[in-house]
Amino acid sequence: MGIFLNPGNEGFQSALNSQIYIDKTQMLEYTNSVLDSEQRYICVSRPRRFGKSITAEMLAAYYDKSCDSEALFQNYKIASSRHFHDHLNKYDVIHIDINTFRNVAGSPANIVQKIQQAVMEELNECYPGCIPKEHSMAHAPMGQMDFIREDITSQASLQSALANIHKVKGSKFVIIIDEWDAVFREYKDDKKAQTEYIDLLRGLFKDAPSKKFLKLAYMTGILPIKKYGTESALNNFDEFTMLQPDVLAEYAGFTETEVLGLYETYDMDFELAKEWYDGYTLETGLHIYNPKSVVDSIRRKRVGNYWTSTETYESLKNYICMNFDGLKDSISNMLAGASCRINPAKFQNDITSFKSRDDILTLLIHLGYLTYEAASQTVHIPNEEVKNEFINAVEGADWKPLTDAIHASDQLLEAAWQGDEKAVADGVAAVHMANTSLLNYNDENSLSCIIALAFYNAVKDYTLIREMPSGKGFADIIFLPKRHSDKPAMIVELKWNKSARGAIRQIKEKEYIQALEHYGGKILIVGINYSKKTKKHSCKIEWV
């Protein structure tokens, strides 16, 4: 048992020892099905803290021939598979966390050398005499990271070492690389280090000799595999991303069914958790939750910003402040609850090759700040936790008109409750005038974005529902009180270049109020109109 070669099952055992573990072992059925096939090259990209490393530890524990993991998996789903024993603890496993080498390399130029030195040192101990002399290292006892020595020759090749071991001993390897994209994220401007690293991966996974010694390749990261032009640097990999999760969708992150079960077990409010942590709707229609946030909310017995608190908002702020046409408009619209159409196909899967608004928004999907709806090709902010992070970033970026609108929204809501029609009209007008450069304003849909910004803080007491089926039509915006709130329900109808009285009349004639029949208190109906001719807003408010 080594550090990188056949590391054992202690890492996965640690995950099982935790207070909360969601069984994802059925994923092994898929990896077993592609062993030794052309589909044995797998790359799973998900945002940080979505369970990628735990899954990598699970694969290592299952395939590693240096340990006995049968008892470890016995009470989990994979144990019921008829192929459970076929590949259990049968192969050499090389498990590499790129961040480990990034921390000890000293400089980006040394990362590839350190990886090869460390792994080949252990290979030489496990398979003495099987590595050609020019690729071997003097024997040294294993210890902490300072065991990595400098006496390996410049001709050293991990690929050739594995190929020769396979030739002599017939051994096949499962290679697991965690945080595969750390070099591209942390050394984003060092093209030389990136090229050397990609060349190492090509040697291990794409060159002809690898097909003989490689049983399975499994990589995890935040970003998909780097593109050069339109082609992936490792185009033989099947990639499972936030855009295209396909058959592995349920194995990175918690599903809604799993989260519901957890909150019922711990007697906590699932609907509140859904508001805070739901929103990642993958291409398959599956809803995925961030495991870090869910687990910490259960451990601490309250919802809060747990995932976003593990990293400052600076990186998000830097991205949303990039000078691309339409980017600020899109962020403002999404903070108002809207979705934005994008084309993610041109994104180069790195954090430097930005050419458009769509590149930035696609990166934010992979980082977990936005979610992608494949059917409509749109993005939106997934949940309350991430929305809070956007607000921090916007305030840090000094987008004053937008932040002023958000800060003034409490007073505007109070004015609506008091029936102060002039104050509401003036408040909406102030938001419109302050954000003219950020939002187009030429129809009822764009007016609804202004309204959502003007009443932004209403989310503390209300769930905002746009275009809700009601009576004989669709109410523009319904403010539905949350269970803990004693505030009145509100129906807001918007008109552009018509009249506020006409908006009130439509609410009554089309029986929108019927949608709130289950609500026991009084209902506030609000009509708001913008006149193209006078450039003014008007408002009418009634209680029913």
Side-chain angles (χ1 to χ4, degrees):
M1 187 180 297
I3 297 175
F4 309 108
L5 175 64
N6 297 330
N9 57 24
E10 291 181 359
F12 187 51
Q13 179 67 71
S14 178
L16 298 181
N17 291 342
S18 301
Q19 176 186 351
I20 296 171
Y21 171 74
I22 295 294
D23 186 353
K24 301 289 185 178
T25 60
Q26 275 187 316
M27 179 183 168
L28 291 163
E29 288 192 333
Y30 177 78
T31 57
N32 284 343
S33 74
V34 299
L35 294 175
D36 276 330
S37 74
E38 291 298 311
Q39 289 73 48
R40 66 185 179 274
Y41 308 93
I42 299 169
C43 183
V44 175
S45 56
R46 290 289 187 276
R48 56 190 170 86
R49 310 306 295 269
F50 262 67
K52 301 185 299 294
S53 295
I54 291 176
T55 303
E57 295 280 9
M58 177 186 75
L59 266 67
Y62 179 78
Y63 290 116
D64 187 344
K65 72 178 186 181
S66 73
C67 56
D68 182 356
S69 299
E70 181 167 6
L72 205 63
F73 287 95
Q74 198 59 57
N75 295 323
Y76 296 97
K77 293 176 182 177
I78 188 60
S80 62
S81 169
R82 62 191 181 93
H83 297 294
F84 172 55
H85 291 96
D86 292 355
H87 306 284
L88 177 66
N89 303 132
K90 295 290 178 66
Y91 311 111
D92 281 309
V93 170
I94 296 174
H95 186 187
I96 301 169
D97 182 345
I98 299 301
N99 276 327
T100 299
F101 293 95
R102 188 175 64 82
N103 293 333
V104 302
S107 75
N110 295 331
I111 286 181
V112 169
Q113 181 190 31
K114 294 296 185 182
I115 291 172
Q116 296 203 103
Q117 285 177 337
V119 177
M120 289 174 65
E121 175 78 10
E122 295 188 8
L123 286 170
N124 201 45
E125 289 190 349
C126 187
Y127 291 101
C130 292
I131 301 176
K133 187 175 182 181
E134 66 270 21
H135 301 308
S136 65
M137 295 179 61
H139 179 78
M142 299 296 291
Q144 299 301 314
M145 285 306 299
D146 59 6
F147 81 90
I148 298 178
R149 307 210 358 218
E150 302 297 335
D151 53 357
I152 191 167
T153 68
S154 60
Q155 291 79 31
S157 165
L158 180 55
Q159 178 208 54
S160 61
L162 295 173
N164 209 63
I165 290 171
H166 173 71
K167 180 180 179 180
V168 176
K169 295 291 187 179
S171 298
K172 286 208 166 188
F173 293 84
V174 171
I175 301 180
I176 301 168
I177 297 183
D178 205 4
E179 300 288 350
W180 90 269
D181 58 331
V183 173
F184 289 90
R185 288 187 285 108
E186 302 299 332
Y187 307 120
K188 57 185 178 182
D189 297 316
D190 195 326
K191 303 303 181 186
K192 185 174 185 294
Q194 292 175 14
T195 299
E196 290 180 352
Y197 175 61
I198 282 292
D199 285 345
L200 171 67
L201 297 183
R202 283 194 177 110
L204 290 176
F205 303 134
K206 196 171 181 183
D207 291 350
S210 69
K211 292 190 175 183
K212 295 181 179 180
F213 65 71
L214 190 65
K215 195 77 177 178
L216 176 74
Y218 183 87
M219 299 200 306
T220 77
I222 294 175
L223 298 175
I225 294 173
K226 165 71 178 165
K227 289 181 183 177
Y228 292 95
T230 59
E231 185 174 303
S232 166
L234 297 166
N235 58 7
N236 56 330
F237 270 76
D238 277 344
E239 295 202 63
F240 302 91
T241 70
M242 292 296 283
L243 292 169
Q244 295 177 313
D246 300 328
V247 296
L248 298 188
E250 65 184 286
Y251 298 118
F254 290 170
T255 67
E256 186 161 87
T257 300
E258 291 165 345
V259 175
L260 174 61
L262 285 173
Y263 277 79
E264 287 179 345
T265 298
Y266 289 92
D267 194 25
M268 292 182 64
D269 187 346
F270 170 71
E271 290 303 319
L272 187 59
K274 184 176 177 66
E275 176 184 335
W276 271 77
Y277 306 129
D278 188 18
Y280 298 101
T281 309
L282 302 184
E283 184 183 37
T284 57
L286 191 71
H287 283 237
I288 292 292
Y289 290 61
N290 181 291
K292 166 71 176 174
S293 298
V294 170
V295 169
D296 281 5
S297 70
I298 291 173
R299 291 176 56 244
R300 296 172 183 268
K301 297 294 182 183
R302 60 179 176 83
V303 298
N305 298 326
Y306 298 114
W307 174 65
T308 55
S309 68
T310 62
E311 187 172 302
T312 68
Y313 69 84
E314 288 297 327
S315 59
L316 176 60
K317 183 186 78 173
N318 292 338
Y319 293 131
I320 68 175
C321 287
M322 288 190 172
N323 190 27
F324 290 110
D325 288 343
L327 182 58
K328 281 190 175 182
D329 292 21
S330 297
I331 300 301
S332 299
N333 273 297
M334 288 188 288
L335 279 170
S339 296
C340 296
R341 189 175 179 85
I342 71 165
N343 175 13
K346 295 181 180 179
F347 181 56
Q348 294 298 297
N349 298 343
D350 62 26
I351 55 176
T352 57
S353 305
F354 302 127
K355 296 181 180 179
S356 68
R357 176 207 75 143
D358 285 2
D359 287 342
I360 299 297
L361 298 182
T362 303
L363 173 64
L364 296 183
I365 296 170
H366 293 298
L367 294 178
Y369 291 115
L370 296 176
T371 188
Y372 180 67
E373 297 282 354
S376 59
Q377 293 186 308
T378 59
V379 291
H380 61 268
I381 298 172
N383 54 49
E384 191 66 21
E385 182 181 29
V386 179
K387 185 181 288 186
N388 288 342
E389 191 72 357
F390 269 95
I391 294 298
N392 291 337
V394 165
E395 290 181 343
D398 196 25
W399 291 10
K400 194 173 187 303
L402 184 58
T403 54
D404 285 351
I406 291 170
H407 293 156
S409 62
D410 283 327
Q411 290 83 1
L412 194 64
L413 193 58
E414 187 67 37
W417 294 333
Q418 297 300 323
D420 191 335
E421 296 171 344
K422 184 177 185 304
V424 171
D426 289 347
V428 171
V431 175
H432 170 217
M433 294 303 295
N435 290 281
T436 301
S437 63
L438 300 181
L439 293 167
N440 293 322
Y441 202 52
N442 53 15
D443 56 22
E444 291 172 12
N445 181 60
S446 54
L447 176 58
S448 73
C449 290
I450 289 292
I451 298 300
L453 281 178
F455 288 98
Y456 182 84
N457 280 339
V459 296
K460 292 184 292 187
D461 293 292
Y462 293 98
T463 298
L464 272 65
I465 305 174
R466 293 173 181 245
E467 296 292 331
M468 180 174 174
S470 312
K472 300 176 182 178
F474 293 83
D476 283 338
I477 306 176
I478 285 184
F479 290 70
L480 191 64
K482 294 180 179 178
R483 283 183 293 174
H484 66 271
S485 174
D486 60 356
K487 307 304 182 185
M490 294 197 302
I491 300 174
V492 179
E493 185 65 23
L494 309 172
K495 293 297 178 185
W496 187 79
N497 214 30
K498 294 180 182 177
S499 74
R501 288 189 182 278
I504 292 290
R505 186 165 56 251
Q506 180 172 321
I507 291 173
K508 295 177 179 178
E509 290 178 353
K510 294 197 174 183
E511 302 175 355
Y512 292 166
I513 299 166
Q514 288 184 1
L516 301 178
E517 284 182 339
H518 64 283
Y519 178 73
K522 281 190 172 183
I523 297 172
L524 196 65
I525 59 175
V526 181
I528 298 175
N529 178 65
Y530 174 73
S531 170
K532 183 180 178 181
K533 181 178 181 181
T534 65
K535 308 296 184 186
K536 291 183 178 180
H537 296 77
S538 58
C539 175
K540 291 296 177 183
I541 300 174
E542 292 184 13
W543 289 94
V544 293

